[in-house]
Amino acid sequence: MVVEIFPPYPPELSQTQLSYLLQALTDYSLSHGLTVRPAESFISEKLSPNGALATHAPITLFPSPFPRSCWEAGRAVQKDYNELYARVAGNAEWLKKTMVELSKVDDFTARLYKVHLDVKAEGFVQPLSLGLFRSDYMLHMAAPEGPKTPPVVHQVEFNTIASSFGALSTRVSELHRHLAKMGAYPPDSIIKPENIPVSPALQGLAKGLSVAHKAYGNGGDGRSTAILMIIQPGEKNVFDQRWLEYELLEKHSVQTYRISLADVPKLTDLASSTQALIYSPPHAPNTQIEISTVYFRAGYGPGDYSGEDDWAARTTLERSKAIKCPSVITQLAGAKKIQQVLAMDGIVEGFLADKGVSSQVRGTFAAIHPLDKSPAGIAARKLALEKPDTYVLKPQREGGGNNIYRGDIPGFLKSIPESHWSGYILMELIEPPSLENTIIRNGGLMSGGVVGELGVYGAILWKDGEGEERGKGLKEIVMNEEVGWLLRTKGRESDEGGVAAGFGSVDAVLLVD
Amino acid sequence: MVVEIFPPYPPELSQTQLSYLLQALTDYSLSHGLTVRPAESFISEKLSPNGALATHAPITLFPSPFPRSCWEAGRAVQKDYNELYARVAGNAEWLKKTMVELSKVDDFTARLYKVHLDVKAEGFVQPLSLGLFRSDYMLHMAAPEGPKTPPVVHQVEFNTIASSFGALSTRVSELHRHLAKMGAYPPDSIIKPENIPVSPALQGLAKGLSVAHKAYGNGGDGRSTAILMIIQPGEKNVFDQRWLEYELLEKHSVQTYRISLADVPKLTDLASSTQALIYSPPHAPNTQIEISTVYFRAGYGPGDYSGEDDWAARTTLERSKAIKCPSVITQLAGAKKIQQVLAMDGIVEGFLADKGVSSQVRGTFAAIHPLDKSPAGIAARKLALEKPDTYVLKPQREGGGNNIYRGDIPGFLKSIPESHWSGYILMELIEPPSLENTIIRNGGLMSGGVVGELGVYGAILWKDGEGEERGKGLKEIVMNEEVGWLLRTKGRESDEGGVAAGFGSVDAVLLVD
């Protein structure tokens, strides 16, 4: 069921208004780096020698209305989320039970966890960890049958690795604000520049990286230091990453290099005495750069590891003295299963001692249940079989797999052995309000019902215990900030009852009271 | 003969260095709006719905060395050039003789001059004129046989209308500086960021427009005011223009609209009492905007006037109360013939009373002669027939036509009736020093000998006499600034002896002492 809470939206445009808006939007995007490399299906790489072409990122024609209170709520809780996940990641002892269990159903988790254990056995040499997190929320109509109930934000997932679109979130909010300012939207519409805040995610994420870089200190043997970004070969979302490099160089005088996991063994080495990560750029092979911070924009899914060499590369990076953004254990803390465990009674409260804080964090949780043989799991199994209409069944695997919705849940569960049920979690379906918008992608327009996901970015640098103390809880938070937000807007498929489907776009919030 | 004055250049790159540099250059350009819409021959418009694609502007891989003294000399004289051309444009009485003569050999000049005379007969209602000029120079080896003689700048032409690439000049100098800063050039090369000054042309040209806009004052009947940019339909160099709009809106809170000459009758009207130019945007047809300033990025050549409607449109704009950038007479003052007349003894000195100033301006002139029956013309005819080796013959027509070089001049002159000779001017061939660079266009590379043209931008707002005093010399200079520079670098075709040929690119200066 879809609830109306926003004024009629978007404004209707004449053909002339649409063409004016479209031209202004396209030109602004293409000149301000709100861009991606065209998909192979749009423009073949053969037509674009040396990557000479860019197209605007998939974007919405209008900023999407978003309740101001919900935007504030999501932002208000981000520093606490940063701390929560830093504390989880810093407590490998606590994570152990879940990781061992999860490893049984998910090879990717098993493999990652092995990297952590292998390096742990050798001893970690770097006490600092950097997290550039993004907590994703949807608007939820807590009582969809009563449209007067104000919406709240419920968390969809928490990203601890490769949180993307930060720079593009800054650019798209600047775009929509500019379009409002220049009068490209009908003057009698609710779209006013002052209600389109500019997301500072580009600046904030770069600041997080620069704080880590500076905390690392000087390189050994007079080496200069730099950040190493681990990227996917052929990345189309390259400008979102490049903006961070530009900001780091221009504002913080920090140099960044980009390499793929496959290039790690060829181009890096560990200094034998300090385990400093030494990078020799292929364009200046006689130069030795000491890497202060490894920033992963790849390595988050099984598809990024094509073989043993890539796993060895990940292990080398984890073993090094460089600050990892994120460390393997921090990446693992972002598992869906952890999200479910944190939702259990008393767990968040154990990590965040302040009752007010933990209750605010818990207030953004969607109901999420195990399907194992614990008492909570057995209760959830009953729900899944008998009252599945407001639930989605999600595999615990990080590598993906299809979600099962509502009435399909009982049949699906009965079709697989009961021993496999614990490989899934049962999550309350989030019921977003009704909204329409137009998404532009590759120059083509698609209009209709949409759902938005608010992502709030956080940057946190913390110090873990050293030696025997490592893995027993974090020691010190060096920096902790909320650094901006993103709205990702996707086509709504009514069959999936509010779960985002169709292709996605970056969008700005239009705050409504 | 080509003279070597620069250190060996550009630095040699390994394949890895080239690929690193190329990727950095392409990504920076595509994210910072150093872009153009792809030419139809590169990517068909059918493949790019709604103009969804951009490619980097044609650019050089390396900034081109340029003697610091020559760069300073070109900049130092710009305010004087601004004043000179404002004084020429303000003195229609003085221009009359040349315009009548030129009109006989050039239909385009004749037609433009008629627009001026028609509006003059009605009476001009706006005393202010804006000039956004660009004076183009080449490096000239005054004594090419003696390589120790330092180069000087000699003027190629002076642009009084639609001086383009201002915004891209800012972006390309930022690009080359960034590449130097990030270490994309070999560290032992002469390319250092501190020797690549950033051209402030984008900011300066926008400032010029905003000063005119503010000087115009308030609109009548409570109308809001804006700038109207006259553009060519299907302009590929659109981002160079858009940046001025963005700067005007963000820094000066001035709104700009873009229309073609063909749209002028449909979308504008003159207020009967004041002749204020009223624009009704097609996307908001009930809004009346009063145009403070008409900024021409079209209308500079005969190809921009497809018929009588376009000439009527130009006349309407000229007749209006809006400040013109430029007025028709200012456009005419930029004729090559005027450049030649100014070079004659005493002429510049008549416009610029200060002897030091006029002699500095004259110091940048290339030798340029009439081929008419005046004493100077008769002397030049002798040169052309007997010692043509350091000359180029240029048609006076503004609509183009081929230049004739060196030894081809006598034969050409003999092949046409002597009565046509006065339709040409004889200009000293500028002898630029030897230089190599690589130009990147549509992702493809071309390396080899190049010649550069330094364009220096100026912004000047002046007040002409009113009523009977109009056309008898300007009354007041309201603003006069040098606002930046551009290097345009083209492939060198040795047959044309230093005259730019091949395709052009935007480039930054690398200052050498």
Side-chain angles (χ1 to χ4, degrees), chain B residues 106-126:
Chain B
D106 182 10
D107 293 344
F108 183 60
T109 296
R111 196 65 210 253
L112 272 178
Y113 193 53
K114 183 175 180 310
V115 174
H116 169 75
L117 293 177
D118 288 351
V119 176
K120 184 185 164 166
E122 301 166 9
F124 289 99
V125 296
Q126 177 56 260

Side-chain angles (χ1 to χ4, degrees), chain B residues 192-267:
Chain B
K192 307 289 177 211
E194 61 272 23
N195 293 330
I196 306 169
V198 171
S199 165
L202 162 57
Q203 294 79 14
L205 295 171
K207 182 184 166 192
L209 287 163
S210 83
V211 167
H213 174 85
K214 281 166 182 99
Y216 180 88
N218 293 330
D221 299 331
R223 286 184 290 257
S224 61
T225 53
I227 291 173
L228 190 66
M229 196 189 295
I230 307 297
I231 54 160
Q232 294 177 336
E235 173 70 73
K236 299 293 185 192
N237 191 25
V238 59
F239 303 107
D240 184 49
Q241 302 173 347
R242 284 288 201 186
W243 277 118
L244 293 172
E245 298 179 43
Y246 302 145
E247 180 80 7
L248 281 165
L249 187 63
E250 299 296 330
K251 301 278 167 59
H252 304 284
S253 300
V254 176
Q255 180 81 47
T256 309
Y257 296 96
R258 308 160 55 80
I259 66 173
S260 67
L261 267 184
D263 281 333
V264 168
K266 292 175 232 164
L267 303 175

Side-chain angles (χ1 to χ4, degrees), chain A residues 224-259:
Chain A
S224 61
T225 53
I227 290 172
L228 191 66
M229 196 188 297
I230 306 296
I231 55 161
Q232 293 177 335
E235 174 69 73
K236 299 292 185 192
N237 190 27
V238 59
F239 303 106
D240 184 49
Q241 301 173 348
R242 283 290 200 185
W243 278 117
L244 292 172
E245 297 177 44
Y246 302 146
E247 180 80 8
L248 280 164
L249 187 63
E250 299 298 329
K251 301 279 167 60
H252 304 283
S253 300
V254 175
Q255 180 82 45
T256 309
Y257 295 96
R258 309 160 55 79
I259 66 172

Side-chain angles (χ1 to χ4, degrees), chain B residues 264-283:
Chain B
V264 168
K266 292 175 232 164
L267 303 175
T268 71
D269 231 327
L270 295 187
S272 55
S273 51
T274 58
Q275 302 211 51
L277 182 63
I278 311 298
Y279 169 67
S280 294
H283 67 279

